Amino acid sequence: MTSMTHDGPQITGGVDTHGLTHHAAVVDPVGRHLADREFPATIRGYRDLLDWMRTHGTLAAVGVEGTGGLSP
């Protein structure tokens, strides 16, 4: 049986989406800022973003902010 446990503290990630880039941040369980970084909005960028978040601890949740508006 494969274990799904991870080392490190639980962290929460957040992503602010933009057209060509996404800005990501990670916080600890009490909301303290650990790090933030910008990634390209590409398949490779999404993979790098997720890998980067996971270097800071066990990823418990991720929130994504994005506004999608339609022009009249």
Side-chain angles (χ1 to χ4, degrees):
M1 183 170 173
T2 303
S3 173
M4 295 301 290
T5 60
H6 300 280
D7 294 330
Q10 283 205 338
I11 59 162
T12 300
V15 182
D16 186 10
T17 61
H18 302 282
L20 299 176
T21 63
H22 297 326
H23 196 95
V26 289
V27 297
D28 71 7
V30 294
R32 289 181 293 220
H33 175 266
L34 298 175
D36 63 273
R37 185 170 159 192
E38 188 173 78
F39 295 87
T42 63
I43 296 297
R44 177 62 191 226
Y46 303 146
R47 289 180 183 143
D48 289 347
L49 185 155
L50 185 57
D51 289 345
W52 172 81
M53 282 186 174
R54 289 178 171 157
T55 66
H56 296 282
T58 301
L59 191 55
V62 177
V64 178
E65 185 278 332
T67 56
L70 299 176
S71 297

